[in-house]
DNA sequence: AATAGTGCTTGACGGTTGTCAAGTTCCCGC
DNA sequence: GCGGGAACTTGACAACCGTCAAGCACTATT
């Protein structure tokens, strides 16, 4: 990777930090530059415009989190262990990377109004669906069963629970995270069928 | 209702129309006023500031859609009929009120960054959960069974599927709506247990 | 060491934003 | 019909936005 790409990543890092705190609507290019070692003019040196920067940020964000559960998949030796570890990891990432997830749901909502965001959102959403499916597939395998729903359905339901927990956590519901654990524990068995009795 | 409240509702109507088209981030008070019979100054005559207006809009939005599925609940005489009618109604509202739903998910995401939106979002979210739970509860009753998950879990999963379908529809996936129907058909039986064999 | 070119800063631009004060029009009670 | 307050318009404000041109600093090559 050459120097040019390094700087783009560095700026994307600063941008993600700022966007994660303020959200898309209230983050200006000057805010991003303030949270970086550079001045505001440099952003137009490395990116065409604001949306080009955000497009890059979205894809960069994905690269950092798409393998988040792969260790859980690889290390778990039984269905219940996988279920526990997966639920714990979901909670962990809300606690440790909350702003990043908030930003993701923000950007995804923006993509319904801002057409230029759509390709990146579609791309990342698909990789997240794949990531979830690897968990479900492994869970079925460890249960000696087969998945009972489509990847899209599994991702949609799990994402709904995750999104609700993130929202609850942001809105100050103090039982949002334990509730998520319970919900995931309840949901995973529903995603498979034909397991060994 | 006095004249003052009538005008507030009228302005909220114009605001929702504009916000539904442009989204929160790109809608200005002047845009809203342009889509109304009044000038931009009148908004500060009826609302304290922009967030006060949006707070009012969110609650007003809820009042219009919270009973959307009650007719389905009342008219259905069997579990499969309810399931069909509910899924059809979900699709119908995406088609006919798409912008309003897009706005809702946008505002809900904004509430994670803008504290002043939180009370209204929390309030509406709860009424939506109640609305979904009335469907699930009736579905269990018609199935001679009992619900197998909490209202929050049922709402979270269903909302995840609905959100994904709305997003898919906005992003141009032409099978988003039929897929939603299939997913809802698959999900509802999972929400109950102990039905008559 | 002179120079060319990359990397970065600075400052300015036109436009838009929320907000509000001042002024105008309209309507209702007397 | 006349006065007064409510309803609404207009215009202006300070601040902020994305963008970009101009210039400075630094580095590497010759």
């Amino acid at each position: 990777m050459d120097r040019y790409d390094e700087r783009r990543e560095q700026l994307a890092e600063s941008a993600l930090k700022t966007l994660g705190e303020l959200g898309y609507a209230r983050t200006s290019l000057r805010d991003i530059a303030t949270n970086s070692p550079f001045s505001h003019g440099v952003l137009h040196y490395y990116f065409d415009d604001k949306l080009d920067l955000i497009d890059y940020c979205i894809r960069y964000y994905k690269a950092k989190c798409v393998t988040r559960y792969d260790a859980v998949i690889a290390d778990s030796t039984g269905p219940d262990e996988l279920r526990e570890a997966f639920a714990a990891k979901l909670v962990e990432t809300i606690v440790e990377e909350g702003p990043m997830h908030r930003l993701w749901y923000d950007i995804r909502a923006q993509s319904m109004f801002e057409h230029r965001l759509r390709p990146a959102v579609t791309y990342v959403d698909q990789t997240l669906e794949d990531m979830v499916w690897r968990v479900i597939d492994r869970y079925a395998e460890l249960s000696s069963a087969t998945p009972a729903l489509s990847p899209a359905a599994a991702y949609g339901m799990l994402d709904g629970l995750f999104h609700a927990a993130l929202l609850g956590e942001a809105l100050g519901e103090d039982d949002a995270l334990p509730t998520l654990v319970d919900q995931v524990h309840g949901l995973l068995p529903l995603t498979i069928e034909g397991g060994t009795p």
Side-chain angles (χ1 to χ4, degrees), chain A residues 24-25 105-115 117-118:
Chain A
Y24 174 82
Y105 287 114
D106 186 7
I107 297 282
R108 202 173 69 169
Q110 296 305 318
S111 75
M112 294 191 291
F113 301 102
E114 180 58 63
H115 293 208
L117 293 175
R118 294 184 177 186

Side-chain angles (χ1 to χ4, degrees), chain A residues 6-24:
Chain A
E6 267 181 38
R7 197 58 22 114
R8 277 166 69 98
E9 285 201 2
Q10 187 180 6
L11 289 170
E13 205 94 44
S14 300
L16 283 171
K17 177 168 153 50
T18 312
L19 286 162
E21 287 172 3
L22 302 178
Y24 174 82

Side-chain angles (χ1 to χ4, degrees), chain A residues 61 68 93-94 97-105 162 166:
Chain A
Y61 152 81
R68 185 176 288 129
T93 190
I94 287 184
E97 302 168 292
M100 210 52 53
H101 293 294
R102 273 176 250 168
L103 174 61
W104 162 244
Y105 287 114
F162 185 81
L166 183 71

Side-chain angles (χ1 to χ4, degrees), chain A residues 54-181:
Chain A
I54 292 189
D55 184 278
Y56 185 88
C57 286
I58 298 172
R59 299 174 194 271
Y60 181 71
Y61 152 81
K62 180 234 57 168
K64 293 179 59 179
C65 68
V66 72
T67 63
R68 185 176 288 129
Y69 307 102
D70 288 352
V72 169
I73 295 172
D75 296 347
S76 297
T77 57
D80 289 344
E81 184 186 347
L82 174 59
R83 192 167 60 154
E84 299 262 354
F86 179 53
K89 203 75 180 173
L90 286 170
V91 167
E92 181 191 306
T93 190
I94 287 184
V95 171
E96 295 187 358
E97 302 168 292
M100 210 52 53
H101 293 294
R102 273 176 250 168
L103 174 61
W104 162 244
Y105 287 114
D106 186 7
I107 297 282
R108 202 173 69 169
Q110 296 305 318
S111 75
M112 294 191 291
F113 301 102
E114 180 58 63
H115 293 208
R116 283 184 58 192
L117 293 175
R118 294 184 177 186
V121 165
T122 303
Y123 167 63
V124 172
D125 213 42
Q126 183 62 51
T127 71
L128 293 175
E129 182 182 311
D130 296 342
M131 180 179 75
V132 165
W133 187 246
R134 288 197 296 274
V135 175
I136 301 292
D137 201 43
R138 178 65 177 151
Y139 178 72
E141 188 181 6
L142 288 173
S143 303
S144 303
T146 57
L149 20 66
S150 66
Y155 173 57
M157 293 180 198
L158 211 41
D159 190 62
L161 296 178
F162 185 81
H163 192 170
L166 183 71
L167 195 70
E169 171 81 353
L171 267 49
E173 302 168 11
D174 49 323
D175 63 340
L177 299 185
T179 297
L180 174 62
V181 172

